[in-house]
Amino acid sequence: MSNPTAAILVIGDEILSGRTREANAYHLASELTRVGIDLAEVRVVPDDHDVIVEALGALRERYTHVFTSGGIGPTHDDITADAVAAAFGVGIDVRADARALLEEALARRGATPTADQLRMARIPDGASLIVNGVSGAPGFTIGNVHVLAGVPSIFVAMLEALLPTLAAGVPVRSREVRFEVGEGRVATGLRQLVEEMPEVGFGSYPFSEGQLRGTNIVVRGTDEARLEDAVLRLEELRASLR
Amino acid sequence: MSNPTAAILVIGDEILSGRTREANAYHLASELTRVGIDLAEVRVVPDDHDVIVEALGALRERYTHVFTSGGIGPTHDDITADAVAAAFGVGIDVRADARALLEEALARRGATPTADQLRMARIPDGASLIVNGVSGAPGFTIGNVHVLAGVPSIFVAMLEALLPTLAAGVPVRSREVRFEVGEGRVATGLRQLVEEMPEVGFGSYPFSEGQLRGTNIVVRGTDEARLEDAVLRLEELRASLR
């Protein structure tokens, strides 16, 4: 049986303009690898209602899970919740449980929500909330779509609450062997190993450190013993290239 | 007239597994903003021929330019050039000019290309080469698709060679105003400004520094004078929130 699959839809003009370096997809990638869910696509789109609706439609058909990041704050450019409701063809409104979470968090700072802050309690019909200990505003899950915040510390907290509730797969493990020769010199021996060990995934990643040109070979798979074999074979290959 | 648009297709299992943090889309985003080409989508997909072909088909229909990153080295997992040829329905083979570049670079290290290294001189029919001063292996342009290396230093060098050859748009400029209050307190006044100044793009980005919760408001547009107006209005808003 193969693992569940996932995509993340990152929503934010600030990523596409180069203002902000994306961090949430990178965090999600390693968390999903850890629990055996295969991240199969990352997509970054602007704060544009129609584009978000269309991307959600495509991704949720194709993958077991779709995570979104960004666009659920109180300002005019926070349009993700409405786009998700539109993608599912359901209504959206302020919901009592979400409002209570928000009011509770604001009360700790002696404040009550403004009309704009209340927007963060608007939840599509039929969704379940994803709480977080950092801010009062919840994320939510509807169908196979999990809507998380864009602020990295809140994204991390929401994911931590959400992940244990998802069916896990078989964790994919990886090992890495460092070659201090360029990728061109590794390629031929590596190609032979790839053919001999089809159940192991091999990746080849050239690097340079000052004058040194090297190559990291990563082996990935679910069976520790086969990975160990692959590492031994790579070490033999490395010795033969000296 | 609106600016040219672009997408980048990042090809690489290492990004999706969380092993490597993506860097090239981030670099491309700020370079394109500088020359007035609007980056409208980032997509990361695995080293899978059919997935790459399908994504290229979708993206090149939709955007003025499609950049790709990764998968043009000498190893078994370097499948981008073949996928691009398949997406365009053209042949692919080792080409004399690309081979000469490769041989020249290897000769400087006293080597000649192996069969696997020669794969890096396979160029789809009808493409033009993108040279770089870091490695011998060229990228290439076919139609509106620009195929660049995944190694960041080589990606940067290829982009530097390529960008001046593309028709530029009107550079989008941005200014930023820092509010030392949370996004919820800025939202209402900001919404009013957004309605009054439709020709300026406003983005709202909450941050926290220790105990401080703040919000950066970014204004973007092509007209410096209007941006300056927007900054003054934001500074007034900030003063009113004290």
Side-chain angles (χ1 to χ4, degrees):
Chain A
M1 224 185 64
S2 55
N3 278 343
T5 58
I8 178 168
L9 182 67
V10 177
I11 295 153
D13 291 348
E14 73 280 18
I15 311 290
L16 295 168
S17 72
R19 176 188 179 274
T20 303
R21 185 169 183 186
E22 209 290 316
N24 295 335
Y26 179 52
H27 175 72
L28 180 69
S30 55
E31 288 296 291
L32 292 184
T33 294
R34 196 173 53 75
V35 300
I37 297 175
D38 295 340
L39 182 62
E41 184 169 342
V42 176
R43 216 182 266 202
V44 187
V45 296
D47 302 331
D48 178 311
H49 179 87
D50 294 347
V51 170
I52 299 168
V53 172
E54 188 200 328
L56 281 171
L59 296 174
R60 75 189 180 93
E61 287 294 316
R62 181 169 258 183
Y63 303 108
T64 319
H65 297 286
V66 178
F67 299 82
T68 77
S69 157
I72 61 168
T75 54
H76 68 285
D77 54 351
D78 290 304
I79 60 175
T80 299
D82 285 88
V84 172
F88 280 88
V90 301
I92 178 168
D93 208 342
V94 171
R95 209 168 84 180
D97 54 355
R99 180 182 184 136
L101 288 169
L102 204 61
E103 286 175 338
E104 195 186 346
L106 283 164
R108 283 197 294 270
R109 292 183 270 147
T112 53
T114 64
D116 280 296
Q117 283 169 323
L118 263 189
R119 282 171 45 81
M120 293 190 284
R122 296 175 74 245
I123 304 292
D125 297 346
S128 56
L129 301 187
I130 304 170
V131 296
N132 80 90
V134 179
S135 81
F140 57 85
T141 291
I142 178 168
N144 61 341
V145 175
H146 312 288
V147 176
L148 310 186
V151 175
S153 59
I154 307 178
F155 182 92
V156 167
M158 287 181 174
L159 189 65
E160 201 177 313
L162 174 65
L163 263 192
T165 70
L166 306 181
V170 182
V172 175
R173 306 191 185 281
S174 65
R175 299 281 305 272
E176 191 163 318
V177 178
R178 177 185 162 101
F179 286 69
E180 299 201 339
V181 297
E183 208 180 14
R185 291 198 53 206
V186 183
T188 306
L190 177 62
R191 187 176 299 275
Q192 201 174 326
L193 277 187
V194 170
E195 277 161 24
E196 285 176 32
M197 308 186 83
E199 72 289 6
V200 173
F202 289 85
S204 171
Y205 306 108
F207 65 86
S208 49
E209 288 174 10
Q211 291 304 304
L212 173 68
R213 300 170 75 122
T215 310
N216 286 312
I217 305 296
V218 175
V219 291
R220 305 179 79 235
T222 52
D223 181 338
E224 282 281 8
R226 301 301 289 149
L227 287 190
E228 208 49 55
D229 283 351
V231 167
L232 290 174
R233 296 292 303 276
L234 285 168
E235 287 169 350
E236 284 170 23
L237 173 61
R238 183 169 61 186
S240 77
L241 294 176
R242 281 211 178 107
Chain B
M1 225 185 63
S2 56
N3 278 343
T5 59
I8 178 168
L9 182 66
V10 177
I11 296 153
D13 291 347
E14 73 278 18
I15 311 290
L16 294 168
S17 72
R19 177 186 179 274
T20 303
R21 184 168 184 187
E22 210 290 317
N24 295 335
Y26 179 52
H27 175 71
L28 181 69
S30 56
E31 288 295 292
L32 291 184
T33 295
R34 197 172 53 75
V35 299
I37 297 175
D38 294 340
L39 181 61
E41 184 170 340
V42 177
R43 217 182 266 201
V44 186
V45 296
D47 302 330
D48 177 310
H49 179 87
D50 293 348
V51 171
I52 300 169
V53 172
E54 188 200 328
L56 281 171
L59 296 174
R60 75 188 180 93
E61 288 294 315
R62 183 170 255 183
Y63 303 109
T64 320
H65 297 286
V66 178
F67 298 83
T68 78
S69 157
I72 61 167
T75 54
H76 67 285
D77 54 351
D78 290 304
I79 60 175
T80 300
D82 286 86
V84 172
F88 280 88
V90 301
I92 178 168
D93 208 343
V94 171
R95 209 167 85 179
D97 53 355
R99 181 183 185 136
L101 288 169
L102 204 61
E103 286 175 338
E104 195 186 347
L106 284 164
R108 284 197 292 269
R109 292 183 271 146
T112 54
T114 63
D116 280 297
Q117 284 170 320
L118 263 189
R119 282 171 44 81
M120 293 191 283
R122 296 175 73 244
I123 305 293
D125 296 345
S128 56
L129 302 187
I130 304 170
V131 296
N132 80 91
V134 179
S135 81
F140 57 84
T141 291
I142 178 169
N144 62 340
V145 175
H146 312 288
V147 176
L148 311 186
V151 176
S153 58
I154 307 178
F155 182 91
V156 167
M158 287 181 174
L159 188 64
E160 200 178 315
L162 174 65
L163 263 193
T165 71
L166 306 182
V170 182
V172 175
R173 306 190 185 283
S174 65
R175 298 281 304 272
E176 191 163 317
V177 178
R178 176 185 163 101
F179 286 69
E180 299 200 340
V181 296
E183 206 180 16
R185 291 199 53 208
V186 182
T188 306
L190 177 61
R191 186 176 301 276
Q192 201 174 328
L193 276 188
V194 170
E195 277 161 24
E196 287 175 32
M197 308 184 84
E199 72 290 4
V200 173
F202 288 85
S204 170
Y205 306 107
F207 65 85
S208 49
E209 287 174 10
Q211 291 303 306
L212 174 68
R213 300 170 74 121
T215 309
N216 286 313
I217 305 296
V218 175
V219 291
R220 304 180 79 234
T222 51
D223 181 336
E224 282 281 9
R226 302 300 289 148
L227 287 189
E228 208 48 55
D229 283 350
V231 167
L232 290 174
R233 296 292 301 277
L234 285 167
E235 286 169 351
E236 285 170 23
L237 173 60
R238 182 169 61 186
S240 77
L241 295 176
R242 283 214 176 103

